[in-house]
């Protein structure tokens, strides 16, 4: 009898978690009819802005862009025509460096699954924890975001991220083909103590973490070298394989990318040295000081995901608007970059972060490209982020500028030619309280 209250409490907790972590929006079925969007202002990203232009989407791909386009010949072909006169058509935005689908309620530990125990987990993939039914997802895509990079958190080598579309029944439906993505959080002293003894301890502890990480990468490299020299029979013996090092082989083979979370000059220099040593493909995530190391980054062909546009300066003596200007500084330094937003639900503000960067040095075209085509290129995806023939039919129709919170009003979204339901929790609450 004494177990009853505990059982009821546990059941109530499970019910609350279930309610908090699932939405009731039904994913759209696979495209079954041709979509013709007519007379739109098309922001192609790859070929500039085209006025009064038509876009034809068939079998999930963009089949034609023109003014007008040739529609399929009659003969039973089902064509859905959308009059987009006076409206703007954009590629779907890509949210980089998010924990969307891993975190539901930040203050409720049972709904947070963005990190694993330990500081070296290359074998862990966010695909194993991603929740496509997250209540947050419909609110995120309502701002024009159709795809997201789901990134693990933690210390050291935290695991692998995946790219997903934001309208799916399961993780298998959501996954988008992309290159392997390993994430390392480079050690740093978050706040330097003022006491000299404590400062020395902090510096020593940080150096130990760096040494441990470098030693782990060296162990992985030795495994890679030994794997190269194994005979075919020996290579097939699973008993001789180490799961962690086996998972990392694509990184040493140049078939995957190392996403290094680093902001300061010191951190970035250490990561560059690591990439040089093992010939890693490198992306700096954070990159607050990356513009100061342009030549070094170009030397290793590194790119940057910059997620700090709407943040405060990291140093007391810096201009308050420096975080807004850094994307332009990266562009002027010739460093390939894309904008990200390191959050879960707050990643819905990605287009407005791009808008701020356009107000502080980037052109509107560069700002839009930084959250579409540049983001896709950085992930090794070749058919996403632009409105062009052969690209995915993932597009967003807006009544205004998608990067401007005052005029952006999304009226329709297609993901691989499927028109998705724009209903979401925010809209439901808005309608509810209109009746109060």
């Amino acid at each position: 009898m004494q177990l009853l209250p505990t059982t009821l409490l546990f059941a109530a907790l499970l019910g609350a978690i279930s309610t908090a972590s699932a939405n009731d929006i039904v994913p759209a079925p696979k495209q079954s009819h041709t979509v013709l969007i007519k007379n739109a202002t098309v922001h192609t990203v790859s070929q500039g802005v085209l006025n009064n232009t038509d876009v034809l989407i068939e079998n999930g791909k963009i089949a034609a862009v023109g003014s007008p386009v040739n529609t399929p010949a009659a003969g039973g072909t089902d064509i859905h025509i959308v009059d987009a006169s006076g409206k703007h058509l954009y590629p779907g935005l890509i949210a980089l460096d998010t924990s969307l689908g891993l975190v539901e309620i930040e203050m409720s530990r049972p709904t947070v699954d963005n990190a694993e125990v330990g500081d070296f987990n290359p074998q862990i993939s966010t695909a194993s924890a991603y929740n496509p039914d997250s209540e947050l997802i419909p609110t995120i895509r309502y701002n024009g975001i159709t795809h997201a990079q789901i990134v693990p958190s933690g210390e050291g080598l935290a695991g692998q991220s995946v790219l997903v579309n934001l309208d799916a029944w399961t993780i298998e439906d959501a996954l988008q083909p992309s290159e392997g993505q390993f994430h390392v959080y480079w050690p740093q002293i978050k706040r330097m103590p003022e006491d000299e003894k404590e400062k020395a301890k902090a510096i020593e502890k940080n150096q130990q973490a760096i040494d441990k990480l470098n030693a782990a990468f060296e162990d992985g490299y030795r495994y890679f070298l030994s794997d190269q020299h194994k005979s075919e029979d020996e290579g097939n013996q699973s008993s001789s394989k180490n799961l962690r090092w086996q998972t990392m082989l694509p990184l040493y083979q140049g078939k995957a990318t190392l996403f290094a979370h680093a902001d300061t000059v010191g951190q970035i220099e250490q990561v560059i040295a690591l990439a040089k040593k093992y010939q890693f493909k490198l992306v700096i995530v954070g990159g607050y000081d990356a513009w100061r190391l342009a030549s070094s980054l170009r030397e290793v062909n590194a790119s940057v995901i910059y997620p700090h546009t709407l943040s405060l300066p990291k140093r007391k003596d810096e201009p308050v608007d420096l975080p807004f200007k850094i994307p332009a500084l990266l562009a002027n330094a010739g460093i390939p970059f894309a904008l990200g937003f390191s959050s879960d639900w707050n990643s819905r503000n990605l287009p407005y972060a791009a808008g701020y960067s356009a107000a502080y040095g980037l052109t509107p075209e560069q700002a839009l490209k930084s959250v579409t085509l540049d983001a896709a290129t950085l992930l090794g995806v070749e058919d996403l982020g632009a409105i062009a023939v052969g690209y995915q039919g993932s597009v967003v129709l807006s009544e205004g500028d998608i990067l401007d919170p005052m005029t952006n009003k999304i009226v329709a979204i297609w993901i691989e030619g499927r028109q998705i339901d724009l209903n979401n929790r925010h809209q439901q609450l808005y309608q509810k309280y209109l009746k109060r």
Side-chain angles (χ1 to χ4, degrees):
M1 295 295 293
Q2 292 180 350
L3 294 177
L4 183 57
T6 303
T7 303
L8 291 176
L9 178 61
F10 182 66
L13 178 61
L14 285 179
I17 293 171
S18 177
T19 302
S21 8
N23 68 72
D24 56 1
I25 311 302
V26 178
K30 185 177 180 180
Q31 184 180 10
S32 59
H33 55 259
T34 299
V35 175
L36 177 61
I37 304 171
K38 296 183 63 67
N39 304 319
T41 299
V42 180
H43 299 258
T44 67
V45 176
S46 58
Q47 299 294 327
V49 180
L50 306 177
N51 295 317
N52 297 320
T53 298
D54 301 347
V55 175
L56 188 71
I57 304 175
E58 292 181 311
N59 300 317
K61 298 282 188 178
I62 295 174
V65 179
S67 181
V69 301
N70 294 321
T71 57
T77 303
D78 184 11
I79 303 177
H80 178 57
I81 298 176
V82 179
D83 184 6
S85 300
K87 297 181 177 65
H88 298 261
L89 190 69
Y90 297 89
L93 308 187
I94 303 170
L96 299 177
D97 196 37
T98 77
S99 54
L100 188 63
L102 305 179
V103 176
E104 197 69 22
I105 303 172
E106 292 180 2
M107 299 301 291
S108 177
R109 182 63 186 88
T111 70
V112 177
D113 197 12
N114 61 342
E116 188 54 83
V117 176
D119 55 9
F120 206 79
N121 296 297
Q123 75 281 7
I124 300 297
S125 171
T126 54
S128 64
Y130 177 70
N131 175 23
D133 282 332
S134 169
E135 189 75 69
L136 304 182
I137 290 175
T139 69
I140 301 300
R141 67 190 185 201
Y142 189 73
N143 276 7
I145 299 170
T146 60
H147 294 76
Q149 181 197 28
I150 313 304
V151 173
S153 300
E155 297 180 353
L157 191 55
Q160 302 175 56
S161 63
V162 293
L163 177 66
V164 299
N165 77 68
L166 297 183
D167 185 62
W169 286 101
T170 65
I171 180 61
E172 290 78 13
D173 296 336
L175 279 175
Q176 301 288 294
S178 60
E179 290 187 350
Q181 306 162 25
F182 291 85
H183 288 259
V184 60
Y185 289 79
W186 204 255
Q188 64 172 322
I189 302 173
K190 294 182 180 179
R191 180 170 295 182
M192 183 69 76
E194 294 183 4
D195 180 78
E196 290 300 323
K197 290 184 177 180
E198 293 299 320
K199 183 184 295 185
K201 288 181 181 178
I203 293 173
E204 182 181 3
K205 184 178 179 180
N206 187 66
Q207 187 58 51
Q208 289 174 350
I210 293 172
D211 292 343
K212 184 178 180 181
L213 202 50
N214 280 320
F217 276 106
E218 181 64 19
D219 288 343
Y221 181 63
R222 290 174 180 174
Y223 185 90
F224 161 69
L225 292 178
S226 66
D227 183 77
Q228 285 185 316
H229 292 91
K230 284 180 181 177
S231 69
E232 184 175 349
D233 290 337
E234 290 175 336
N236 288 331
Q237 294 177 6
S238 59
S239 59
S240 66
K241 294 182 179 180
N242 180 295
L243 179 59
R244 288 180 176 179
W245 310 136
Q246 190 72 24
T247 304
M248 290 182 67
L249 288 179
L251 190 59
Y252 295 96
Q253 294 165 348
K255 299 177 182 179
T257 301
L258 182 67
F259 288 73
H261 296 249
D263 275 309
T264 67
V265 167
Q267 285 180 297
I268 297 171
E269 286 178 336
Q270 291 166 353
V271 169
I272 290 174
L274 182 77
K276 280 185 178 179
K277 183 175 182 179
Y278 301 115
Q279 299 297 303
F280 287 155
K281 293 181 181 179
L282 179 63
V283 173
I284 302 294
V285 184
Y288 187 83
D289 286 339
W291 58 279
R292 305 176 191 271
L293 297 167
S295 59
S296 298
L297 289 170
R298 286 197 296 267
E299 187 177 347
V300 293
N301 297 316
S303 302
V304 173
I305 295 176
Y306 179 70
H308 302 304
T309 306
L310 301 185
S311 302
L312 292 172
K314 290 188 176 294
R315 304 178 181 95
K316 294 180 180 179
D317 58 348
E318 291 177 335
V320 69
D321 59 355
L322 179 60
F324 303 154
K325 294 179 177 178
I326 287 177
L329 293 173
L330 291 169
N332 293 337
I335 302 172
F337 74 96
L339 295 184
F341 213 106
S342 306
S343 180
D344 37 86
W345 66 273
N346 209 28
S347 59
R348 72 190 190 283
N349 287 320
L350 174 68
Y352 310 137
Y356 265 91
S357 69
Y360 283 84
L362 289 185
T363 65
E365 293 76 19
Q366 285 176 316
L368 178 61
K369 191 179 179 185
S370 72
V371 291
T372 52
L373 186 58
D374 285 340
T377 301
L378 189 146
L379 296 177
V381 181
E382 299 180 351
D383 65 347
L384 193 63
I387 298 179
V389 174
Y391 277 65
Q392 282 190 29
S394 298
V395 297
V396 178
L397 189 62
S398 173
E399 290 187 354
D401 185 349
I402 198 171
L403 305 185
D404 180 7
M406 300 300 292
T407 62
N408 177 24
K409 184 179 179 182
I410 305 299
V411 295
I413 295 176
W414 291 264
I415 295 179
E416 296 179 2
R418 304 176 292 117
Q419 186 167 1
I420 68 171
D421 189 344
L422 294 182
N423 189 17
N424 61 76
R425 185 65 171 160
H426 288 177
Q427 290 296 306
Q428 292 167 2
L429 292 173
Y430 174 73
Q431 293 300 324
K432 172 183 176 179
Y433 286 104
L434 280 179
K435 300 177 174 62
R436 186 169 184 268

